[in-house]
Amino acid sequence: MNVDLMCPVTTHAALERAAMIGPDVEAVVSDGKRVTYSQMAARVSQIRSAMHANGISRGQHVALCLGNGPEWVALFLAATSLGAVVVPINTRFRAAEIAFVLNQSKCTVLFTVDKFLRVDFIEMLREIHPAIDGKPQDQSLPSLSTVVVLGSDVPPGALSFEDYLAAGAGQNTAPTAQPGDAALIQYTSGTTSFPKGVLLTHRSLCADSFVSGGRMGLRVADRFHSARPFFHVAGSSLSVLSCIQHVSTLVTMPRFEPGLALELFEQERCTHFSGNDTIALMLLNHPDRPKRKMHLRGAWVAASPTIVRRVIDELGAVEAVVGYGLSEASPNVAQSCWWEDVETRVSGRMLPEPGVEIKIVKASSDATAADAAAGSGVVGEIFVRGWNVMQGYYDLPKETAAALDASGWLRTGDLGCVDETGRLTFVGRAKEIIRVGGENVAPSEVEDILHRHPQIRLAIVVGVPDERLIEVPFAFVQLRSGESATSEAIREWAKQNMAGFKVPHYVDIVENFESIGMTASSKVQKSSAADHARKIIAEGAK
């Protein structure tokens, strides 16, 4: 499929089109700031000229370390319009993690805030890059030559953003990026200590976001609330670029807080929102929700059927859709469509992106796309091929070869099945599947059933070792406000509502999940939860 005929396939072409169609439509609303599409286009032009004057050109790697807001969007669009490759920095990273990303990606320029959510990034940079204080350049970050600070704390070895912009004053630099140019190095948030940088192009990001927004039902001047961090591809692609492609308004916030999000839903008359299962439950179960007047029509959610049904029934997002993807696929692989019947959307049966192939093969450690395809409805590993697939992992040829074969098939490491209509159902991450005796148990399925319990607010299920059964389910459960229940009572309820091998052998009732581990996307880290579960069992055995 020629996606170039479907939509703008460079970030600057998408912005130019949006500014032409809806110059007065607000592009970004965040933390009291409002920027229209015409204003955003002017700001991007100003920053692009400054970047060009300061030596940024096609192929250079430019890091962004700042929170959600108009300046992140403008910097991203300006850099990519010149053919530079943006490297988003996770604002939850510590100094060593920032150093790893800057070094592995060979970034030459870093744009950073001085402080964000009480985190002092200048202080962290002093640990890893002494040159910002005018000290001799060491070899810790040999590629980094320029640090630009947005804020008042500007060390002597860095430039203020205002001074940086002054270099391009009066110039009018045209965009030069091409659709096949890399636009993003997206670092995976996997469970290893060494994340991999996924190379994504203008074409893959722009087309993926266009399809996603269209299937969600975004229209001109719709108002889409997304607190998904822009340093994740669900923020940069499925939030920022989806809104630009459909000339919609992105309502965002520096950090997700459900009470404030509900307030913004009402005040900004949001028509759509983006969220995973944790975000959706935090909104649904917040005490302020009944007080707020909702204007929602749709949503993009990555959640179980029970939660999707509640989003439709309780938040009024009657056109809510479900999506499946991963960073290596820009990120969407499949998504349901707002015009499909409710049951299809709630059940999570998703249509592949147009022109994207999906193949299900029997899951094994040495599975390849050359293996025979599994039959209709048979669960196996998901392989993907098409225009949305990454170019590879930056500067990691062995890892790229392991994930991407010579025919262009991407091995996802995820499990799913395809029905007779070609729709994909995502079952779970292969590494998270719990092997109870001879049965495979998807944590998401157990979580979905537990979320039907009237006293449970949020459930997270992981596998823990068992001498007899190899593994068994362990459930962390957060109760709804004002409710009380015992672990044994929850287990007894579970026995009545799921097969015996799926019933959690352990139920730990927790006040919250912060101490266990939350990602920047407000999702519980399964690896941290599994570690915590094993510690609880070990301590109980003493």
Side-chain angles (χ1 to χ4, degrees), residues 267-314:
Q267 291 181 352
E268 297 294 334
R269 301 180 70 86
C270 293
T271 58
H272 298 75
F273 82 92
S274 172
N276 52 35
D277 45 7
T278 312
I279 287 174
L281 285 170
M282 290 169 78
L283 292 168
L284 287 162
N285 297 323
H286 196 276
D288 287 352
R289 183 182 60 79
K291 309 172 190 175
R292 298 297 180 189
K293 184 177 181 181
M294 297 286 104
H295 305 274
L296 293 172
R297 187 176 79 242
W300 185 102
V301 287
S304 66
T306 297
I307 298 173
V308 178
R309 174 62 73 179
R310 289 189 64 193
V311 166
I312 291 172
D313 294 344
E314 299 174 38

Side-chain angles (χ1 to χ4, degrees), residues 325-466:
L326 63 164
S327 297
E328 289 85 345
S330 303
N332 261 15
V333 170
Q335 185 174 313
S336 49
C337 311
W338 68 268
W339 60 84
E340 294 179 303
D341 65 273
V342 172
E343 290 308 317
T344 296
R345 288 183 283 119
V346 167
S347 66
R349 295 165 57 231
M350 302 165 283
L351 286 172
E353 304 282 88
V356 171
E357 299 175 79
I358 293 176
K359 184 177 183 180
I360 306 296
V361 304
K362 183 179 179 180
S364 67
S365 60
D366 57 353
T368 72
D371 294 338
S376 174
V378 177
V379 174
E381 185 170 350
I382 303 170
F383 284 76
V384 179
R385 181 168 67 178
W387 50 261
N388 62 333
V389 171
M390 66 174 180
Q391 290 183 324
Y393 296 117
Y394 177 69
D395 204 25
L396 294 171
K398 291 183 179 179
E399 289 80 355
T400 298
L404 198 58
D405 71 16
S407 299
W409 284 101
L410 170 69
R411 183 177 188 179
T412 68
D414 295 332
L415 300 179
C417 61
V418 173
D419 67 15
E420 65 281 358
T421 69
R423 285 177 167 83
L424 171 72
T425 299
F426 171 63
V427 173
R429 309 292 181 187
K431 292 181 180 179
E432 294 176 1
I433 294 296
I434 306 168
R435 289 165 176 81
V436 184
E439 302 283 355
N440 288 338
V441 176
S444 59
E445 183 181 2
V446 181
E447 290 164 356
D448 184 54
I449 296 173
L450 290 175
H451 287 147
R452 301 172 196 170
H453 190 291
Q455 294 170 306
I456 292 177
R457 178 182 184 183
L458 177 61
I460 297 297
V461 175
V462 296
V464 293
D466 184 82

Side-chain angles (χ1 to χ4, degrees), residues 23 82 93 175 198 210 264 310 330 345 358 405 412 487 523:
L82 288 172
F93 276 178
V198 178
F210 177 82
L264 287 170
R310 289 189 64 193
S330 303
R345 288 183 283 119
I358 293 176
D405 71 16
T412 68
S487 298
K523 191 172 181 67

Side-chain angles (χ1 to χ4, degrees), residues 473-495:
F474 185 116
F476 291 100
V477 169
Q478 182 184 22
L479 300 178
R480 297 191 185 201
S481 179
E483 297 287 355
S484 62
T486 65
S487 298
E488 189 53 39
I490 291 172
R491 289 193 75 250
E492 287 301 317
W493 181 91
K495 290 176 183 178

